[in-house]
Amino acid sequence: MSTHFDATLDVKGAKCPMPLVKSRKAIGDLPVGHVLQVIATDRGSIADFQGWATTAKNIRLVAQETTAEGGQDLYVHYLERTA
Amino acid sequence: MTDLSLMPAPAATAAPAAVAPLTTAPAAPAVVTAAELYAKLLADAPLLIVDVRNPAEFARMRIEGREALDVLNIPYYAFIEDEDDAAAPIPTDREVVVVCAKEGSSEYVAELLAARGMAVSYLAGGFPAWGNHVDVRDVAAGAWGKVIQIARPARGDLSFVVVSDGAAAVIDPLRHTAVYHDTIAAEGASLAVVLDTHVHADHISGGPALAAATGAPYHVHAYDAIHPIDMLPATIPYTSLDDGQTFPIGAVTVTAHWFPGHTLGQFNFRLDAPDGTSALFTGDGIFLRSFGRPDLGGKGEAWTPLLYESLTERLPAIVHPHTLILPAHFSALDEAGADGVFSAPYAAVAATNDALRHRDLAEFTAYVLGHLPVFPPEYVQIKRVNIGLLEAGEQLADELELGKNICALSA
């Protein structure tokens, strides 16, 4: 089952902290209730997005999934702007 | 559907300068190496480490120091979310070192803190650089040669090189063996023998690799070459040890003494030099402030009485009061002097190590049972790797060796 999203952010190749810095900015540009899909290659982003979502004021982590593309693992995060 | 296209595809071009909103020019944060950080920890200067990894990583392993070190865990994403809020708990009158999982996030946070006027630096290479940092220093030296301590401070692992008249012995070598080759070469010596006090459960031995690379024999006792849980024999080449066996290393003699308890085949090695210098490489027999737990082979009930005999009868018989105790682990950095050497004469250890206080066997058993820390599940795996029952590549080995050793009884 695929997760619904309204916008997508490609941070493939970006290293910590950039996936999160760019996600923070991107979600601020979305209307409340919209979901941002973030596609990352940094494995550490899984735990970091979980931690961020528990402390952030207006973000809900809807889902996370791991896929592969051309032999490279992709870590896909879905974040909803809640306020 | 909108594509925000915030990020061009090419990898590794993310420069923090592109996002740091710096209009003025604050002092750029300095970079500290793991060696420089370790020197600060040993010197016990007032220092605050701001660890910006996520709480799960922080819980698994953190940088520990002596009295004057404070550590705060403030994940880097807290600074992205609300910088003022995240920075609020950080005092402005302390030297701050920021550490993270790789390096990028600590540099990012250090730049934010520098812009707020703090004296701040960040750790080069991130946490792996600290975890793999190796520290080399002399423990004892004389006309006969020297004993060199090779430590991996993050894990509390200690190993030793004995050098005398061009010959060298390595005791309890750690997984990454380059430092032993380099140290022995720098002393102009060649490796005569590799000794493991026992088959380790907490870290992967460099012994078999050193033996394979140099042709030196690798010794560990046959009792330890059977996996205590699997009951399967070692597939690595090794030569067993005899109680009382001697190894001449140049002008010094190293004598093997059976010391069962932590493992069934645990040995201690005593060095005797012509000038009367005496040292005991105790492995996980006795530590400076504790001793090796007898339960890691899953045979705690049977091995605890053996350990009792080793500590109360065997140990006093193989040391002089001035014999330097050189263990394979430490639990806390303040077990070292400011010189970074983890050793003490037996008389001092006997007087200060609460674990050596006089107890009868029943009291000793109760003490052991009351002070057993968690049994890390990976320790069963590590023993498999150490006797060749399991192959571990670099990534698996790194994962197995995450965290600090838990070989001593708890305080």
Side-chain angles (χ1 to χ4, degrees):
Chain A
M1 197 186 93
S2 63
T3 307
H4 164 81
F5 57 94
D6 304 288
T8 191
L9 173 66
D10 181 346
V11 290
K12 283 183 274 192
K15 292 188 176 125
C16 190
M18 297 318 291
L20 223 135
V21 169
K22 290 176 179 294
S23 297
R24 173 73 270 180
K25 181 173 184 326
I27 204 151
D29 294 342
L30 286 182
V32 172
H34 276 215
V35 173
L36 175 71
Q37 178 198 52
V38 181
I39 305 170
T41 49
D42 181 1
R43 190 155 78 110
S45 67
I46 302 170
D48 287 354
F49 273 68
Q50 290 170 3
W52 175 40
T54 61
T55 54
K57 291 179 189 76
N58 64 344
I59 288 162
R60 185 171 76 89
L61 185 60
V62 179
Q64 289 182 305
E65 58 194 40
T66 303
T67 60
E69 179 188 77
Q72 184 177 39
D73 283 337
L74 298 181
Y75 307 98
V76 186
H77 316 281
Y78 297 90
L79 300 159
E80 180 190 356
R81 178 168 177 180
T82 57
Chain B
M1 190 154 308
T2 357
D3 183 353
L4 296 170
S5 300
L6 288 170
M7 179 64 197
T13 51
V19 291
L22 304 179
T23 47
T24 57
V31 183
V32 293
T33 64
E36 290 163 349
L37 175 61
Y38 188 50
K40 288 175 193 285
L41 297 178
L42 283 176
D44 206 22
L47 181 71
L48 173 68
I49 287 176
V50 176
D51 190 326
V52 299
R53 296 174 302 154
N54 66 57
E57 290 171 312
F58 181 73
R60 263 212 277 193
M61 190 181 198
R62 65 165 86 177
I63 296 173
E64 297 175 23
R66 305 164 77 134
E67 286 80 28
L69 177 71
D70 284 323
V71 181
L72 282 176
N73 178 215
I74 309 174
Y76 70 91
Y77 45 75
F79 291 89
I80 295 167
E81 193 65 26
D82 186 338
E83 186 191 317
D84 287 343
D85 208 38
I90 304 173
T92 51
D93 59 346
R94 298 282 295 271
E95 180 188 351
V96 174
V97 176
V98 186
V99 301
C100 72
K102 290 183 183 127
E103 184 177 302
S105 296
S106 60
E107 182 182 5
Y108 175 83
V109 172
E111 282 175 0
L112 296 180
L113 297 179
R116 300 171 78 92
M118 293 184 190
V120 60
S121 56
Y122 65 93
L123 175 65
F127 213 87
W130 169 246
N132 288 320
H133 175 60
V134 174
D135 178 78
V136 180
R137 47 190 87 212
D138 291 355
V139 175
W144 47 268
K146 59 167 82 165
V147 177
I148 302 162
Q149 169 191 282
I150 296 180
R152 192 174 165 191
R155 302 197 76 258
D157 292 342
L158 302 168
S159 63
F160 301 91
V161 175
V162 175
V163 181
S164 180
D165 285 353
V170 177
I171 294 146
D172 288 330
L174 304 172
R175 171 163 59 106
H176 294 127
T177 54
V179 67
Y180 304 101
H181 292 294
D182 294 349
T183 301
I184 292 167
E187 297 292 335
S190 60
L191 185 59
V193 63
V194 181
L195 303 170
D196 257 336
T197 53
H198 63 296
V199 169
H200 299 274
D202 73 289
H203 65 270
I204 294 169
S205 171
L210 272 177
T214 61
Y218 170 62
H219 287 270
V220 68
H221 193 265
Y223 289 164
D224 273 22
I226 296 172
H227 193 285
I229 310 288
D230 302 343
M231 296 309 290
L232 289 171
T235 64
I236 52 157
Y238 74 96
T239 308
S240 192
L241 292 158
D242 293 322
D243 198 4
Q245 185 174 356
T246 57
F247 299 90
I249 310 294
V252 305
T253 302
V254 173
T255 309
H257 295 281
W258 189 43
F259 202 93
H262 176 65
T263 67
L264 204 52
Q266 160 95 41
F267 270 66
N268 286 353
F269 298 109
R270 195 179 80 187
L271 173 145
D272 289 287
D275 65 357
T277 297
S278 157
L280 189 70
F281 303 99
T282 60
D284 292 14
I286 182 110
F287 304 128
L288 297 181
R289 301 234 181 109
S290 184
F291 55 81
R293 56 194 293 189
D295 64 314
L296 288 179
K299 308 281 187 292
E301 280 184 36
W303 292 3
T304 298
L306 286 174
L307 177 61
Y308 181 74
E309 280 176 27
S310 290
L311 291 171
T312 58
E313 294 170 29
R314 292 187 182 90
L315 180 60
I318 56 173
V319 288
H320 305 295
H322 68 272
T323 299
L324 281 177
I325 300 297
L326 300 174
H329 292 298
F330 65 88
S331 297
L333 199 56
D334 59 5
E335 291 175 46
D339 60 358
V341 172
F342 292 86
S343 78
Y346 173 69
V349 175
T352 58
N353 189 333
D354 178 58
L356 280 186
R357 199 151 55 81
H358 179 75
R359 295 177 176 89
D360 64 25
L361 177 57
E363 290 167 341
F364 180 79
T365 304
Y367 176 85
V368 168
L369 291 177
H371 293 80
L372 289 179
V374 293
F375 188 148
E378 60 271 21
Y379 280 18
V380 175
Q381 292 278 70
I382 291 173
K383 275 203 193 237
R384 288 185 184 127
V385 175
N386 276 335
I387 61 172
L389 299 179
L390 175 70
E391 287 241 7
E394 194 72 2
Q395 192 185 334
L396 175 60
D398 280 343
E399 285 170 16
L400 290 173
E401 288 188 343
L402 264 181
K404 200 172 169 183
N405 86 84
I406 315 182
C407 297
L409 296 198
S410 54

